[in-house]
């Protein structure tokens, strides 16, 4: 029965039933200053790297049938016309110019051209309600705060480790659960990573069940709440809050940044800081963020997911629609208006004066709070 409508959505539910995860690579579709969720209809504030279906555009109306207007996808499953994107990494040279850091294939994912690895995980015990609902057509969400420049756990406790970095050593996957492994940090690692740097990005897995999007692109979804101690991932709680009762598959992304060519003391800043910045002018890494726009097609000829080769994935690509140079050469400045802002106060639009009172006032309170909850959260 269930195979009659077999699709990415169904497979995710089957995966849930089988307690299995789905892991697949997507090669690079395009790198450009476009974000149809946050800045529909125009160039976005900073550069993103995008994977998935080739209908990606300035505007992605939720009513669009992405399976009809896409002709290919860069993801392993031919029916996945979703788009997944993140900020990109630049290396800041001592002379003040920026070079885009390339992405490389994750272990065991074949030879995608850059891009990322996508995972879908089912909820596990002791989560009480493990019924998973498929993403609906037009659904979209973002994760992370691009202006964030500090480890501000209050009032963001459940999300403070949703984006992290793993300082990869050698050629393995590294140790421990992503986000809480011994080589994982919320900020950029401040040492050479012999295997490059990996982004670990967890999307929220609870939905209000109604809205395909929300003004912030985040309030229609939430992370699970409750005691995380007994939960496998050790980062979020177990169950969906009453405000967001519908369980979605856990979408998790990994991006392998090839920082290996820059592992040299002569290339790093002399002040002891590290040289990488996110494309929105973030030298801390706290502002890492990602977007997901669901799009799925059901194969007419074969009622299931079709696996395509690395070559087919790599062949699918788009030319940038924003006419500017973002990579391949040292740039005088980050594309868009993204002056480097080191925090700890949040960044502002294009370096505008901050109206925030900053952490000075709140710090004692924050510290008291962290102390209070440190027994509760496994960190
Ligand atoms: C689009 O961006 C350009 C360049 O930043 C700007 O001049 C223009 O006003 C924007 N258009 C809209 C509709 O926002
Ligand atoms: C993007 O949108 C423009 C304007 O609607 C259209 O001309 C163009 O073909 C679209 N590009 C893709 C790749 O769909
Ligand atoms: C900065 O260094 C890079 C790498 O050596 C070089 O290509 C670039 O021309 C330099 N730019 C300036 C402004 O010195
Ligand atoms: C479990 O969650 C689903 C939504 O994901 C909901 O429809 C269902 O009623 C819930 N079941 C129980 C027993 O709470």
């Amino acid at each position: 029965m269930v195979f009659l409508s077999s699709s990415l959505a169904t497979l995710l539910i089957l995966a849930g039933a089988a307690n299995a995860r789905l892991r697949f690579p997507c090669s690079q579709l395009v790198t450009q200053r476009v974000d149809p969720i946050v800045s529909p209809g125009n160039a976005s504030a900073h550069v993103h790297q995008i994977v998935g279906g080739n209908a990606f555009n300035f505007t992605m109306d939720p009513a669009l049938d992405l399976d009809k207007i896409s002709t290919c996808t860069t993801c392993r499953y031919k029916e996945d016309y979703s788009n997944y994107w993140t900020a990109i990494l630049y290396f800041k040279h001592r002379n003040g110019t920026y070079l885009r850091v390339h992405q490389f294939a994750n272990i065991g994912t074949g030879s995608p051209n850059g891009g990322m690895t996508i995972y879908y995980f089912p909820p596990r015990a002791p989560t009480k309600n493990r019924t998973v609902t498929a993403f609906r057509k037009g659904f979209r969400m973002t994760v992370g705060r691009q202006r964030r420049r500090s480890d501000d756990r209050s009032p963001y406790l459940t999300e403070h480790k949703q984006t992290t970095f793993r300082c990869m050593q050698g050629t393995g996957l590294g140790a421990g659960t992503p986000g809480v492994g011994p080589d994982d940090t919320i900020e950029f690692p401040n040492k050479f990573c012999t295997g490059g740097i990996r982004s670990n990005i967890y999307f929220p897995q609870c939905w209000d069940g109604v809205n395909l999007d929300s003004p912030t692109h985040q309030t229609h979804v939430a992370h699970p709440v409750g005691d995380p101690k007994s939960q496998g991932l050790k980062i979020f709680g177990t169950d969906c809050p009453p405000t967001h009762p519908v369980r979605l598959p856990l979408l998790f992304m990994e991006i392998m940044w090839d920082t290996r060519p820059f592992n040299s003391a002569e290339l790093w800043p002399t002040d002891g800081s590290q040289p990488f910045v996110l494309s929105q002018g973030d030298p801390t890494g706290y502002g890492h963020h990602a977007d997901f726009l669901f799009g799925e097609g059901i194969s007419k000829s074969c009622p299931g997911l079709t696996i395509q080769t690395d070559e087919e994935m790599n062949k699918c690509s788009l030319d940038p629609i924003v006419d500017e140079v973002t990579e391949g050469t040292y740039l005088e400045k980050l594309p868009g208006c993204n002056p480097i802002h080191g925090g700890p106060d949040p960044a502002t639009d294009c370096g505008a004066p901050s109206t925030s009172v900053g952490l000075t006032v709140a710090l004692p309170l924050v510290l008291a709070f962290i102390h209070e909850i440190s027994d509760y959260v496994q960190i």
Side-chain angles (χ1 to χ4, degrees):
M1 268 293 281
V2 78
F3 281 97
L4 285 178
S5 62
S6 187
S7 59
L8 185 67
T10 315
L11 198 87
L12 294 174
I13 289 164
L14 290 175
N19 213 20
R21 57 154 211 204
L22 209 57
R23 177 186 196 241
F24 57 92
C26 302
S27 64
Q28 198 78 86
L29 178 69
V30 61
T31 297
Q32 60 180 352
R33 207 152 50 79
V34 173
D35 185 332
I37 297 182
V38 175
S39 319
N42 213 342
S44 63
H46 51 265
V47 182
H48 299 104
Q49 57 102 8
I50 299 125
V51 306
N54 70 342
F56 184 82
N57 212 330
F58 274 139
T59 303
M60 300 288 281
D61 192 301
L64 288 176
D65 286 315
L66 296 184
D67 57 325
K68 297 208 176 68
I69 61 173
S70 312
T71 56
C72 66
T73 172
T74 72
C75 294
R76 179 69 82 209
Y77 297 117
K78 226 170 184 163
E79 290 78 16
D80 189 3
Y81 295 122
S82 304
N83 287 115
Y84 310 83
W85 65 96
T86 70
I88 66 169
L89 205 58
Y90 284 94
F91 163 72
K92 187 178 182 192
H93 193 277
R94 279 184 183 177
N95 70 16
T97 63
Y98 301 89
L99 186 67
R100 191 256 171 104
V101 175
H102 284 287
Q103 292 139 246
F104 65 114
N106 214 340
I107 193 167
T109 58
S111 51
N113 170 23
M116 56 176 101
T117 311
I118 301 297
Y119 294 74
Y120 287 101
F121 290 98
R124 296 183 240 173
T127 297
K128 289 188 214 65
N129 185 350
R130 297 201 288 280
T131 304
V132 175
T133 300
F135 297 110
R136 199 178 290 164
K137 178 183 158 184
F139 178 86
R140 55 209 50 204
M141 61 179 163
T142 68
V143 65
R145 284 173 286 124
Q146 58 104 352
R147 298 172 196 280
R148 181 191 187 204
R149 295 292 186 274
S150 66
D151 184 2
D152 50 351
R153 298 175 191 200
S154 171
Y156 301 109
L157 188 57
T158 54
E159 60 181 66
H160 89 285
K161 284 205 168 183
Q162 61 193 357
T163 68
T164 55
F165 298 96
R166 175 162 291 188
C167 185
M168 306 295 286
Q169 305 297 343
T171 53
L173 279 168
T177 299
V180 290
D183 295 314
D184 296 345
T185 49
I186 308 179
E187 68 285 354
F188 284 129
N190 196 13
K191 59 180 180 188
F192 297 154
C193 303
T194 60
I197 295 175
R198 193 183 75 195
S199 294
N200 313 309
I201 301 177
Y202 293 100
F203 280 78
Q205 43 192 318
C206 302
W207 178 40
D208 67 12
V210 178
N211 296 295
L212 298 174
D213 196 359
S214 50
T216 59
H217 316 294
Q218 299 192 346
T219 54
H220 60 313
V221 288
H223 290 296
V225 294
D227 183 1
K229 264 191 183 150
S230 48
Q231 205 250 15
L233 290 170
K234 302 187 187 80
I235 297 177
F236 308 110
T238 48
D239 293 279
C240 286
T243 48
H244 299 79
V246 181
R247 191 83 183 204
L248 302 168
L250 166 55
L251 167 57
F252 173 67
M253 282 177 184
E254 288 176 345
I255 301 103
M256 299 288 296
W257 304 103
D258 196 359
T259 56
R260 295 172 299 185
F262 310 103
N263 285 341
S264 157
E266 301 87 74
L267 294 175
W268 277 44
T270 47
D271 65 2
S273 63
Q274 62 81 43
F276 301 106
V277 301
L278 288 167
S279 45
Q280 78 273 25
D282 176 10
T284 67
Y286 291 122
H288 206 7
H289 60 285
D291 299 51
F292 168 61
L293 191 147
F294 179 64
E296 182 210 348
I298 296 170
S299 165
K300 306 290 180 293
S301 54
C302 161
L305 291 177
T306 319
I307 288 175
Q308 53 177 355
T309 62
D310 289 347
E311 198 180 20
E312 287 172 297
M313 288 161 54
N314 291 342
K315 216 164 59 190
C316 186
S317 72
L318 276 182
D319 291 329
I321 41 183
V322 178
D323 186 18
E324 69 186 352
V325 178
T326 59
E327 59 185 335
T329 181
Y330 281 90
L331 307 172
E332 294 295 320
K333 64 187 244 325
L334 297 174
C337 179
N338 294 288
I340 302 294
H341 179 83
D345 54 313
T348 56
D349 269 339
C350 200
S354 168
T355 52
S356 149
V357 292
L359 271 180
T360 346
V361 176
L363 196 58
L365 258 177
V366 172
L367 289 177
F369 184 69
I370 289 171
H371 180 71
E372 198 174 299
I373 50 87
S374 61
D375 278 347
Y376 175 68
V377 194
Q378 293 187 340
I379 46 176

